[in-house]
Structure formats: structure tokens, C-alpha cells
Amino acid sequence: MSSFWHWWVVLLTLGNIVFIAWLIRYTARRNPGEPAEGETTGHVYDGDLTEYNRPMPRWWLWMFWATIVFALVYLVLFPGLGNYSGVLGWSSTAQYEREVEQVEERLAPIFERYAAMEIDQLQEDSQAMATARRIFGNECAVCHGGDGGGTVGFPALNDGYFQWGGSFEEIQETIAGGRQANMPSHTGLDDEQLDALVAYVFNLADRDVPDPDLIPKGEELWDQQGCFACHGDDGTGMTALGAPDLTRGVYIYGGSAQAIRETIRDGREGEMPAFADRLGEDRVRLLSAYILQLSQ
């Protein structure tokens, strides 16, 4: 926090406390001509309803003063005034780290047991898979869905196909290090050329092509634009580059003609974040075993 904002917070906080103290003191004093406590104010309503000067109980007033004293003591002991850390040196970050450390110490023996197990043993262990399922729900489900079915822009994990390879080691590498996909844009193509490429991509997956006459032109553009360099001559893709297999008829960003057209024209830049630092080696390994089982 900069010096300006530090003093802004300090002055605003203390100024509000001082103002509230002044307001309580000011409103509690007796004004000139005001009747004494218990005396009538001289106001009578409905002929027999007399108004008396009955201030709030003193304990109610002292309760307000107690909250002000509490606030000042709190601001001395704990952070609350800009960059001032408080006498006790407490911070939410430090407390969070202590709690995480305590949890990790409690879980360490469990993950040590999982780390000593082979992949097939992990997948057959109901407790291990239940633990992995909870990790998946916390870390992966927000993008890939609770069942691993994926959604537009996020691949399915339960169909046995992986863009970057489906072996245990490849899945583990994907989770730990993340992935960065890059489908280049082809904004220089006109509408007719885009339609031809879409027709060819449909044909690669044996899908019905609205205008089969465009397929030869699309194949020619496939070679001219260098699509084979990533997706291969036959469109089966290349896991080393994360280039998907176009013969399967399954598309991350949608399989309609319009969606494929947008992918070719505008390109795509999907990113899978790295989880090595966040989860650690043992959890990544356990999660990889779970996703491999999910895909089977």
C-alpha cells in the first residue's frame, strides 16, 4: 500500500472514531432550557398524553463508549490502520499458512501411502479414488465439469481421448506443467475459402457435407495453409503439439459449421494452467490416476 493510501486509511478510520465520540458526547449533554430528567417537557397530546424528558439508560450510553474503546484497542493490537501491522504482528496470510501446514501434517501419512502404490492399485483403492474425486471437484470441475464431460472451450476427460496424450505420464505432465495450445488465425481467407475448409474438415470426420463439391477445394487449401503440419496429412492430429484429431468429429470449441469456421478464421489459444506448485507431486499423481480411470 502506498504512503498516500496508508494515511488515507489511517485518517479516515481514526477520524470516524473521533467523530462518533464527539457525536455521542454532544447529543448526551443537556441543552439550555431543557427540562431536567424526569420532568415534563410541557407537551401534551390528545388531552392527557404528557411528554417527559426520559433519556436512554446510562448503560446504553456506556455501551457505545465501550465499543469505541474496543475499536481503539483492536487497532493497536491488530492491522487495520493502513500499513501498520499491529503490536501482535497477526496477519490473515500467516494464519492461513499455519492452518495449511497443520492440515498438510495430518494428511502427509495418507499421501505417503498413495505415493507408494502402483497406478492400478490406486485405481482399485476406493479411498484413494474418493480423495482424488474431491481434488478433482475442487480444482478441475469448474472447467471440465463434475463428471469430466467438459464444455465449449474445455475438453472432455471421460471420452478416452486426450489432446496432449492419454498415457498416465502424459496426463501427469499436463496437470503438473500445464499446456498452451495455439491454433493460428487465417483472417486472410475469404468466405468461399472458409466454406471449403469447413467442408473438408467435415469430410475428415465422415460427417455429412452440405456441399460436397467444396471438398476438393478444401483439400487444396488444407495443403496451401499448412494445416497438415499440425494435424497431419490425414487429420489425425499430433499430441506433441496438442493438435487435435479432426477425424473423430469431436471439437473443443463446437462442431457446427459456424463454430469450425470461427476457429479457422480467428484461431484459438486455449490454456491449461499448471498445478505442480499448487497441488504438489503426490496429489498430481493421484489426480492423474483418477482422470485415467475416468477416461476408461
Side-chain angles (χ1 to χ4, degrees):
M1 184 183 298
S2 67
S3 177
F4 170 80
W5 289 113
H6 163 75
W7 287 109
W8 172 269
V9 172
V10 170
L11 295 176
L12 188 63
T13 303
L14 296 181
N16 273 279
I17 293 176
V18 171
F19 172 74
I20 292 172
W22 171 84
L23 186 62
I24 295 173
R25 183 74 180 88
Y26 177 80
T27 55
R29 70 176 185 169
R30 181 180 176 185
N31 296 321
E34 182 180 331
E37 183 175 347
E39 293 181 355
T40 178
T41 63
H43 299 154
V44 179
Y45 304 92
D46 297 331
D48 60 353
L49 187 58
T50 303
E51 180 183 3
Y52 288 85
N53 182 15
R54 296 292 188 187
M56 297 295 292
R58 304 301 293 178
W59 64 265
W60 185 271
L61 182 63
W62 285 112
M63 184 178 67
F64 282 103
W65 288 112
T67 59
I68 291 175
V69 172
F70 173 83
L72 293 173
V73 172
Y74 180 92
L75 291 174
V76 171
L77 298 177
F78 297 97
L81 295 175
N83 293 325
Y84 175 66
S85 60
V87 173
L88 298 181
W90 177 91
S91 72
S92 58
T93 301
Q95 179 172 335
Y96 168 77
E97 292 175 349
R98 286 195 300 269
E99 292 177 357
V100 169
E101 185 177 350
Q102 293 171 358
V103 172
E104 290 296 332
E105 289 178 357
R106 189 169 68 251
L107 295 178
I110 298 175
F111 283 98
E112 286 177 4
R113 182 174 73 85
Y114 294 157
M117 299 170 66
E118 298 295 332
I119 305 307
D120 56 345
Q121 293 176 315
L122 281 174
Q123 293 177 330
E124 294 171 1
D125 190 300
S126 59
Q127 183 181 5
M129 289 297 95
T131 301
R133 189 181 306 111
R134 288 191 289 271
I135 297 175
F136 183 90
N138 290 333
E139 306 291 345
C140 312
V142 65
C143 293
H144 297 284
D147 61 350
T151 186
V152 176
F154 302 96
L157 304 178
N158 59 2
D159 60 358
Y161 173 75
F162 294 90
Q163 186 175 343
W164 299 87
S167 70
F168 174 75
E169 291 75 14
E170 289 169 327
I171 295 174
Q172 195 170 4
E173 183 179 348
T174 296
I175 298 173
R179 300 292 189 182
Q180 178 64 60
N182 182 22
M183 164 67 184
S185 62
H186 296 79
T187 53
L189 299 177
D190 58 31
D191 291 341
E192 183 180 351
Q193 291 173 316
L194 288 171
D195 290 340
L197 271 174
V198 170
Y200 183 70
V201 170
F202 268 47
N203 186 62
L204 284 173
D206 292 327
R207 299 176 61 186
D208 291 335
V209 182
D211 187 355
D213 293 338
L214 291 174
I215 294 176
K217 178 63 175 178
E219 184 176 8
E220 180 182 342
L221 287 167
W222 176 274
D223 293 333
Q224 290 178 357
Q225 298 297 318
C227 304
F228 61 88
C230 295
H231 295 284
D233 292 331
D234 55 359
T236 54
M238 189 180 302
T239 56
L241 298 177
D245 182 353
L246 300 178
T247 65
R248 299 175 65 250
V250 178
Y251 310 94
I252 297 176
Y253 295 94
S256 68
Q258 182 61 31
I260 296 175
R261 181 189 179 95
E262 291 176 358
T263 297
I264 297 173
R265 183 190 63 204
D266 303 329
R268 304 290 186 181
E269 292 186 0
E271 181 179 0
M272 161 71 182
F275 284 86
D277 294 337
R278 180 180 177 87
L279 297 179
E281 182 179 352
D282 292 342
R283 284 179 174 81
V284 168
R285 184 174 182 272
L286 180 63
L287 187 58
S288 301
Y290 174 76
I291 292 176
L292 185 61
Q293 184 186 70
L294 194 66
S295 71
Q296 296 169 349

